[in-house]
Amino acid sequence: MNFLIALALGAASAFAFQPFAFWPLMILAFAGLCEIIGRAPNLKQALLLGWGFSVGQFVVGLNWIATAFTYQAAMPAWLGWVAVILLSFYLAVYPMLGVGLAWRYGRTHRIALILALAGGWAITEWLRGTMFTGFAWNPVGAALVDTPWRQSSATIGTYGLSALVVTAGGILWLAYKRDLRPAAIGSVVLLATVLLPGADLPSASRSTIRPPIRIVQPNIGQEDKWREGLAAEAAAKLERLSVGASPVPRLVLWPEVAVIEPMQVEDLDRRPLPLDLPAASKAVRSINPGDLLVTGGLALIADRNGQIVGNTNSVFALDSSARIGGRYDKAHLVPYGEYLPMRPLLSRIGLSQLAPGIGDTASGPGARTIDLGAPWGRMGLQICYEIIFSGEVLDRANRPDFLFNPSNDAWFGRWGPPQHLAQARLRAAEEGIPVIRSTPTGISAVVDARGKLLASLPWRKAGVIDGQLPLPAAGLTFFARFGNIVPLGLAFLLLFAAIALARGPRYRQT
């Protein structure tokens, strides 16, 4: 019975994420989880409850993954739901370990249980985002993206926010158990975290001129993305949305793989081959002289016989004469999406990668800053899924002025795009850096250095966002200086406090 309650609590908590964003549900769910953990008779039962809670949260929250399979003709659509369930079974192992720590050190002390659960949950979320290439989607701290606690991520990061969510649930549980004094003290401490410093934005004077940008959202669905004959149709749509008179040069931003014809061909050592490819020249027909176009595109990899054996998912910066002024290759690839692990085995049973391509997509070297020159400054790049990895999105040795996140959310269903945007907003708040997103079907957006949404385009609607580059933070945020050392240090501190309390005077459990 308690397992079914845990499963239901986890499923309900998923509605705290976007697109519903009913964040109090997450706190209520953790209050309920604390109650059933406290009732667990042994460690095995506690682990099972933690696993069930997390399975419920992941199956509901990640339902958009099933949609991706509907665009892959080589595999049946029902396999998408099998993938969601199996992935959830695996991902739930991480928070299950945090619940095990909570039971181990909190079965006789409620405050110790809360502290161990908060610390253990944050640590296991970090592990989930790290192990086996990581899958960091929907940390529970993302539920707070539209609350005042978002700015706290500039100090304690997203995993620190997750610890706050768990603690809030624990405080509510203490109030339910009539432990009113510790509940009151905990509430004061929790409310005080709103005062943690966020990104310090400089006040722009009226004379400050920020370069103009145009973000293009062509509304090209995944069902049309690779169909024969689309290249000309897509180019016409992109051009129609990109052209426009401007007294000063603009930065025009297109989505991930907006140009499906190859921009470059490389050899096996990743050196560009001297081939005259028309894709760049066609693309810049859409911009004015003096404009700069930043677009997602492809580079192909050829072997010594000239046979194409792979590709990269890349971003190219093109001036109006079609010169490539900078390039970034996606580094953090999506397993089963952009490459197929254990390809010889899995391909024999009919599985294929979800993103079309020739062979596996080759990865780039990691976060990189491209200097676009005056007046645009330094641009950081994270393509699509890469932006969900807290603490990994910037080249810290060459900090950019803004971060561009071209994405293709067209196969993420209805729930995926708003969840993706929420996590991009957390990266902005953590790092104190504006984030600009361009996607084919939405949600394209401009986010300031505090994670505030300045402008956006609705899902499944063609359009543009005209504006100016937002200002970066005046200085480095605390998180930007130290990264995930901060939330992990906080998490271990909570665990050590729980261990100390567990060895002290016991509470009489009722």
Side-chain angles (χ1 to χ4, degrees):
M1 182 62 181
N2 279 344
F3 178 79
L4 294 178
I5 293 172
L7 194 68
L9 286 171
S13 74
F15 292 90
F17 297 122
Q18 300 288 342
F20 295 93
F22 189 48
W23 61 268
L25 265 179
M26 189 68 76
I27 294 173
L28 287 167
F30 274 104
L33 181 61
C34 287
E35 174 67 13
I36 60 176
I37 294 171
R39 294 179 181 180
N42 53 52
L43 178 60
K44 181 180 178 180
Q45 285 295 313
L47 291 170
L48 186 62
L49 293 173
W51 186 78
F53 178 92
S54 303
V55 165
Q57 185 179 93
F58 288 130
V59 167
V60 176
L62 300 178
N63 69 78
W64 55 268
I65 291 176
T67 309
F69 283 73
T70 65
Y71 299 111
Q72 174 52 270
M75 293 181 287
W78 59 261
L79 193 58
W81 278 107
V82 174
V84 170
I85 293 169
L86 291 179
L87 178 63
S88 298
F89 283 178
Y90 159 68
L91 295 176
V93 170
Y94 292 97
M96 177 189 77
L97 300 177
V99 170
L101 287 172
W103 185 89
R104 170 65 179 82
Y105 295 110
R107 64 185 184 275
T108 58
H109 200 299
R110 292 188 190 117
I111 298 175
L113 186 151
I114 295 166
L115 295 177
L117 183 60
W121 200 278
I123 291 167
T124 56
E125 275 196 345
W126 175 81
L127 286 172
R128 171 163 69 90
T130 305
M131 299 294 290
F132 308 113
T133 79
F135 187 76
W137 198 277
N138 276 358
V140 298
L144 300 181
V145 72
D146 285 319
T147 73
W149 279 278
R150 182 187 68 236
Q151 72 172 19
S152 303
S153 65
T155 302
I156 59 175
T158 295
Y159 300 127
L161 285 186
S162 294
L164 287 186
V165 172
V166 178
T167 303
I171 290 169
L172 188 62
W173 176 58
L174 287 178
Y176 168 75
K177 302 298 282 187
R178 299 187 182 277
D179 280 349
L180 299 182
R181 184 177 178 184
I185 294 172
S187 297
V188 171
V189 173
L190 192 67
L191 290 172
T193 59
V194 176
L195 302 176
L196 289 173
D200 182 19
L201 296 189
S203 56
S205 67
R206 292 183 180 178
S207 62
T208 300
I209 299 175
R210 303 296 297 169
I213 60 173
R214 170 167 286 194
I215 301 168
V216 176
Q217 181 171 298
N219 194 27
I220 298 172
Q222 190 66 19
E223 66 276 9
D224 295 324
K225 180 74 178 177
W226 300 100
R227 68 174 168 81
E228 188 176 351
L230 178 74
E233 182 183 328
K237 183 176 285 191
L238 288 164
E239 181 174 357
R240 185 170 64 252
L241 292 169
S242 301
V243 297
S246 175
V248 292
R250 305 169 305 162
L251 181 63
V252 181
L253 300 150
W254 286 1
E256 178 184 10
V257 197
V259 179
I260 61 175
E261 295 176 314
M263 292 278 197
Q264 288 182 320
V265 179
E266 303 174 324
D267 63 19
L268 292 174
D269 295 321
R270 306 292 293 273
R271 295 173 301 194
L273 298 174
L275 298 176
D276 185 18
L277 302 176
S281 298
K282 291 179 181 178
V284 298
R285 294 173 189 169
S286 307
I287 62 176
N288 303 326
D291 285 353
L292 194 65
L293 173 65
V294 179
T295 180
L298 299 172
L300 302 182
I301 301 172
D303 64 15
R304 291 176 177 82
N305 298 318
Q307 183 74 27
I308 302 301
V309 294
N311 64 275
T312 65
N313 183 351
S314 304
V315 174
F316 299 87
L318 306 170
D319 64 19
S320 54
S321 63
R323 184 182 67 87
I324 298 175
R327 172 179 154 187
Y328 169 80
D329 296 337
K330 188 176 182 181
H332 210 136
L333 303 175
V334 183
Y336 303 99
E338 293 170 303
Y339 70 95
L340 191 64
M342 301 178 293
R343 177 176 285 276
L345 172 63
L346 296 182
S347 60
R348 286 183 180 178
I349 61 174
L351 293 180
S352 61
Q353 66 191 56
L354 295 175
I358 302 169
D360 291 330
T361 301
S363 62
R368 183 187 172 200
T369 298
I370 296 175
D371 191 348
L372 300 178
W376 299 290
R378 300 182 304 277
M379 174 180 66
L381 279 305
Q382 290 287 285
I383 299 177
C384 197
Y385 166 81
E386 291 184 299
I387 204 165
I388 72 172
F389 294 93
S390 174
E392 299 180 24
V393 298
L394 298 184
D395 178 357
R396 298 189 182 279
N398 187 15
R399 182 178 169 85
D401 299 309
F402 69 97
L403 185 62
F404 180 42
N405 175 223
S407 184
N408 180 9
D409 293 356
W411 56 345
F412 283 16
R414 182 65 184 88
W415 289 34
Q419 291 175 3
H420 205 179
L421 174 59
Q423 291 166 99
R425 291 174 63 191
L426 286 176
R427 298 297 85 74
E430 285 175 334
E431 303 285 355
I433 191 165
V435 172
I436 299 170
R437 304 191 76 235
S438 177
T439 74
T441 57
I443 304 169
S444 301
V446 180
V447 180
D448 76 6
R450 289 198 184 106
K452 180 181 178 182
L453 192 61
L454 299 179
S456 64
L457 288 169
W459 184 63
R460 289 288 184 180
K461 182 177 180 180
V464 300
I465 299 174
D466 284 319
Q468 295 178 315
L469 277 177
L471 292 165
L476 294 180
T477 65
F478 193 74
F479 181 85
R481 289 181 185 276
F482 300 104
N484 279 319
I485 291 175
V486 179
L488 288 175
L490 172 64
F492 279 107
L493 184 63
L494 292 171
L495 272 179
F496 294 151
I499 294 169
L501 285 173
R503 292 177 176 175
R506 269 36 173 185
Y507 269 179
R508 181 175 60 85
Q509 301 284 7
T510 57

